[in-house]
Each structure stands twice: as C-alpha cells, then as structure tokens.
Amino acid sequence: ARFCAHHSLTVAALKYELGHPYRVGGCYSSSPVMSIVRSVNMHSLRGKFIVLDGTEGSGKSTQARMLQDRLSRDGVDAILVRDPGTTRIGEQVRAVLLNPEHAEMGMRCEMLLYMAARAQMMTEVIAPALVGGRTVVCDRFVSSTLAYQLGGDGLRADEIRAIAHVAIRGRWPDLTIILDMPADASLARVNRARDRIEQRPMSYHEQVRRNYLAQVEADASRYRLISAAGTPDEVHERVWTAMQRGVAGSPGR
C-alpha cells in the first residue's frame, strides 16, 4: 500500500460470518454469547472513555450517537465528541485535513495535525469530563491514525503511539469498538462528495481495514471488533453488547 504498512494476518482475522457479530481475540463468537452477557452496571461507566472507529462509511458516527443517546436515557452522564473536531481549534484543523484542495499534504504533516486537534480536545473537553465522572463517547481516535497514517512516509506504529501519548496526556481509551466491513462495501455507503481521505484509491482503504484488524489482534483487552453489516438498530445492539463486556467494571486508564 502507498500510505500504510503491510501486516501479516491470518485468514481467520479477515473472514467471518456476518451472522456472527461479535469478536474477541481473533475469532467471532456466535449469537448465544448474547444470552450470557450480564447487564451493565451503569455506575461502573463513570469516567470511562469509549471510542467507536472503523473505515469510511462503516456507520461509526451513527453508532456513536446512538450509544451516547442510550447511555443518557439510562441515566449515564455521557457526552459525544468527534476526532478531529469538537473544539473551535479542532474543527478548523479538521477542515484543513479533509479539504481535497490540500492534495500536497505530506503524511507526517497529516499525522501531526490529527494529533494537534486531539491534544486540544483532550485538554479542553475529554480530560475534564472524565475527571468529573462523565462517560465520553468518541467518534474516532488514535486507532484511526494507526490505521490511516501507518506506513505513510515510513511512519512506524511505535512513532505514532509515542506522539499520541504526549498529545492525549497518556489517557488512552478504556475500550475501542471497531466497526468492520469490506472496504468497497463501506465506501459505497458514502453518498456525498468525498473528502481528501475518502478520495484515496481502494487499495489504500483495503490496507486501512487490515490495519484496524491488526490492532484488534494485538490488543484484545482494549478492542472489540463487530460486524457493521445490517440496520443501524442491529449494529447498535452489537455495540451495546461489546460495551457491556468491554467497559463495565474495567479500571480507568
């Protein structure tokens, strides 16, 4: 791939039955898992940081909104943020990053701009909310940079993580939920003018997907991978189950 490093993944990491919507540690489980998931202790969600991420068109923004809405209805003080963006400075950085007119932008510049917007959002919004006991639901985060910018201009994962650690003040998400589907199917859902990142070739987006899958394989304790296929309500139930198992009762980081 032009921008992303190659990863060697097992066939099992790349193929799954769409009817098996939930995966931990490299393999999807069947639907009976749903029946043994305990009800989430809403109090345990205080001060927790949950990220929804995935390829273009996977529905992560919709699912982030639905998750925040459901948490709020259930009495959890939850806020929704988007990366990049949310703050006045972050929204301006977002406009620069996604503008197709900036085709000359180098990958290291791109990575650092994402980190700059992230740093402002952490300082201005996320950190104070978490300290105050609120639950933060975030649409994209460092997991996106480890998928989209990895390998571009020789960028290594350890370099990205080191810079991210400074930008986010060491406050990594308690859980990252990756919405997964084939790159061509997810891009086909984008029914508006495509931004600078979305305009990149299909081979790039296929590698981005592989980079997301590699993150799940490498850190199953902090990641959950679910199928993005189906209606928003169907996907939301998978997200809710993943959140229950992945966040409830886990210590903040």
Side-chain angles (χ1 to χ4, degrees), residues 92-139:
Q92 292 182 64
V93 173
R94 180 187 183 91
V96 171
L97 279 164
L98 301 184
N99 190 337
E101 295 179 2
H102 300 153
E104 75 276 19
M105 186 182 297
M107 191 58 74
R108 288 176 184 264
C109 174
E110 180 173 300
M111 183 271 291
L112 290 169
L113 284 173
Y114 276 110
M115 294 298 183
R118 218 164 266 149
Q120 185 64 28
M121 182 169 63
M122 178 60 71
T123 296
E124 189 176 332
V125 181
I126 296 177
L130 295 174
V131 169
R134 307 183 79 183
T135 300
V136 176
V137 178
C138 189
D139 178 354

Side-chain angles (χ1 to χ4, degrees), residues 152-173:
D153 196 18
L155 279 171
R156 304 190 312 270
D158 62 322
E159 293 176 317
I160 292 172
R161 290 192 183 96
I163 295 169
H165 196 75
V166 174
I168 67 175
R169 301 163 59 176
R171 185 49 167 100
W172 294 86

Side-chain angles (χ1 to χ4, degrees), residues 5-10 13-14 23 26 143 146-147 150 157 161 178 180 206-220 223 225:
H6 292 276
H7 291 277
S8 177
L9 298 177
T10 63
L14 296 175
R23 186 170 105 170
S143 44
L146 287 167
L150 179 64
R161 290 192 183 96
I178 304 297
D180 179 54
E206 289 169 345
Q207 186 59 49
V208 165
R209 184 194 182 202
R210 289 192 287 270
N211 288 345
Y212 276 124
L213 293 173
Q215 292 179 63
V216 178
E217 292 290 320
D219 192 357
Y223 283 77
L225 181 68

Side-chain angles (χ1 to χ4, degrees), residues 185-249:
S186 62
L187 273 173
R189 290 178 168 183
V190 179
N191 56 5
R192 50 167 171 71
R194 294 186 178 183
D195 63 35
R196 190 176 64 88
I197 307 298
E198 293 165 345
Q199 289 179 4
R200 288 174 178 167
M202 184 60 66
S203 59
Y204 169 82
H205 292 285
E206 289 169 345
Q207 186 59 49
V208 165
R209 184 194 182 202
R210 289 192 287 270
N211 288 345
Y212 276 124
L213 293 173
Q215 292 179 63
V216 178
E217 292 290 320
D219 192 357
S221 66
R222 296 195 191 191
Y223 283 77
R224 294 293 184 273
L225 181 68
I226 66 172
S227 168
T231 67
D233 286 341
E234 289 170 341
V235 177
H236 172 67
E237 289 307 317
R238 299 169 198 163
V239 169
W240 187 253
T241 299
M243 186 274 297
Q244 288 179 309
R245 290 181 60 88
V247 173

